[in-house]
Amino acid sequence: MTKQERFQKEFQEHVKEGLTAYPKYLSSRYIYDEKGDVLFQKIMALPEYYLTQAEYNIIDQHKDALAQIAIDEKGIDLIELGAGDGKKTKVLLKHLNDRKANFTYIPIDISQHSIDELTSSIKDLWPDMDVQGEQGRYFSVLDKLASYNNRPKLIIVLGSNIGNLEHPEAIKFLEQIQNSMSDKDYLFMGFDQKKDPLTIQNAYSDETGVTQEFNRNLLHRINKEMDANFPVDTFEHWESYDPETGTAKSFLLATQPCTVKINTIELDINFDKWETIHTEISQKYDDRTVEWLAQQAGLKIKEIYEDNDQLFKNYLFIKN
């Protein structure tokens, strides 16, 4: 079975499990095909979506300190989980290249389209850079990280992607990364911070409707790849944020009752009016929560970096 066939089988199993559950759910990781990638890039360019610019500011301010890790260690493997379009990472890559650091860049993403586009763009900018892209989900590639053991690793996870996991899953994710690390390895990870609830609400519910179309792409993919008949335009995106727990949740709402046929997996699903499909969480953090997560996973914070507007933080971890 090819990697693409395994992915499709996994996608089909997830759709069957999620849409027969109560309440219904689908994972946001399946939004990211070629169309989903483009829509997410549009989201990152929205003025309301502060996360991208805030983290870009952090990396630009502290690129010298990060590059110094490669210099001090006389060479590293720079492994990025969830690389996407690599816009922020390219700031660091340029600085590493300018300083003639010895490194291999290994971007990993669930979207093969993203990996292909990123690798091509890097080769256009820096033809001699050693880039070894790989397609896969976080949890399916973490076991492979330990095989990169000939020299120190700098593992980076940007965009507060850990926020898509509830705390038990986040601890498991961090623990798996920690298990792949040696005492000379580093983890550099973004965590969106708790802040004015309206700022967070607006970041995930823009007036232009891009975020709605992004979430609807889940339904478009099911229609296209599983011969289904979701009436996509009747499903609306809804965002809620709980400032007590720091949890933002995304939903698709059925504004009309309907029956959806998903022929490939021989499944009929009924939706009542205003029934939901939970598609994503986006957890927000403070230093105390991040320190607790790290301790549970066998990590400790070495450095904390914050953007100029105090919206976002990146933490540098080492093994505890």
Side-chain angles (χ1 to χ4, degrees):
M1 185 181 293
T2 66
K3 184 180 290 187
Q4 185 59 31
E5 288 171 339
R6 285 197 299 271
F7 178 84
Q8 283 300 321
K9 184 173 185 292
E10 179 187 84
F11 187 18
Q12 291 169 11
E13 289 172 351
H14 174 76
V15 167
K16 185 172 184 178
E17 178 183 292
L19 294 184
T20 56
Y22 183 79
K24 295 178 173 65
Y25 66 88
L26 291 170
S27 171
S28 61
R29 66 175 174 264
Y30 296 110
I31 296 175
Y32 295 91
D33 60 359
E34 186 171 351
K35 180 182 177 182
D37 294 342
V38 171
L39 287 168
F40 188 62
Q41 288 175 26
K42 288 183 178 180
I43 287 172
M44 290 191 294
L46 292 169
E48 301 95 330
Y49 195 79
Y50 59 85
L51 293 87
T52 302
Q53 189 56 43
E55 192 169 36
Y56 187 95
N57 175 255
I58 291 171
I59 295 171
D60 190 44
Q61 283 190 84
H62 300 286
K63 58 183 181 290
D64 202 59
L66 293 170
Q68 195 61 44
I69 293 173
I71 304 298
D72 291 345
E73 298 293 349
K74 298 181 173 57
I76 60 167
D77 287 323
L78 178 62
I79 302 171
E80 181 171 14
L81 303 181
D85 67 356
K87 177 183 176 182
K88 291 170 286 189
T89 313
K90 286 175 182 174
V91 175
L92 178 58
L93 294 176
K94 180 181 186 303
H95 197 63
L96 285 163
N97 189 71
D98 290 346
R99 293 195 62 180
K100 301 188 182 339
N102 178 14
F103 73 100
T104 296
Y105 176 47
I106 304 164
I108 299 168
D109 198 275
I110 192 171
S111 169
Q112 185 64 53
H113 174 258
S114 287
I115 291 296
D116 293 341
E117 290 286 308
L118 176 57
T119 301
S120 176
S121 68
I122 289 173
K123 286 299 184 182
D124 287 342
L125 291 167
W126 307 290
D128 296 329
M129 190 172 290
D130 186 6
V131 183
Q132 300 176 14
E134 184 171 340
Q135 190 253 347
R137 284 179 52 202
Y138 287 170
F139 287 104
S140 64
V141 301
L142 287 176
D143 290 341
K144 298 180 183 178
L145 292 184
S147 67
Y148 296 97
N149 56 11
N150 292 327
R151 58 183 179 175
K153 299 187 290 289
L154 173 56
I155 302 165
I156 61 177
V157 188
L158 305 182
S160 197
N161 286 339
I162 193 170
N164 298 142
L165 305 174
E166 295 184 8
H167 287 334
E169 290 180 294
I171 291 168
K172 180 183 177 184
F173 176 46
L174 290 169
E175 191 172 40
Q176 284 186 270
I177 294 177
Q178 184 271 136
N179 287 337
S180 78
M181 293 169 64
S182 75
D183 292 338
K184 292 185 177 181
D185 292 342
Y186 300 86
L187 171 63
F188 181 74
M189 183 176 286
F191 289 78
D192 194 15
Q193 301 294 294
K194 292 181 179 179
K195 58 183 70 66
D196 181 347
L198 188 59
T199 300
I200 294 171
Q201 188 81 24
N202 290 341
Y204 296 97
S205 187
D206 65 283
E207 293 182 353
T208 62
V210 177
T211 309
Q212 173 161 280
E213 287 310 305
F214 177 70
N215 278 268
R216 282 176 169 176
N217 197 50
L218 264 170
L219 308 186
H220 282 298
R221 282 199 76 178
I222 295 170
N223 280 352
K224 180 175 67 175
E225 298 177 26
M226 299 183 201
D227 188 23
N229 66 341
F230 266 102
V232 177
D233 290 345
T234 67
F235 282 79
E236 293 186 357
H237 170 254
W238 179 256
E239 187 71 25
S240 68
Y241 176 63
D242 182 347
E244 182 179 38
T245 64
T247 305
K249 291 185 176 183
S250 297
F251 300 90
L252 287 168
L253 301 174
T255 61
Q256 298 294 332
C258 63
T259 298
V260 176
K261 291 184 175 294
I262 309 176
N263 293 314
T264 299
I265 56 176
E266 300 179 341
L267 187 66
D268 291 357
I269 299 294
N270 295 317
F271 285 89
D272 296 328
K273 188 174 184 178
W274 303 121
E275 189 171 0
T276 61
I277 306 173
H278 179 209
T279 60
E280 188 173 30
I281 69 163
S282 300
Q283 192 69 37
K284 310 306 170 187
Y285 302 89
D286 51 32
D287 287 345
R288 182 172 58 182
T289 304
V290 175
E291 184 176 11
W292 172 74
L293 290 172
Q295 288 176 344
Q296 295 298 305
L299 295 165
K300 64 180 178 181
I301 299 170
K302 182 175 175 59
E303 299 287 348
I304 301 175
Y305 306 104
E306 187 172 31
D307 70 289
N308 291 340
D309 295 324
Q310 300 180 320
L311 298 170
F312 196 95
K313 290 182 180 179
N314 286 76
Y315 297 76
L316 187 66
F317 301 97
I318 57 175
K319 287 177 76 81
N320 197 347

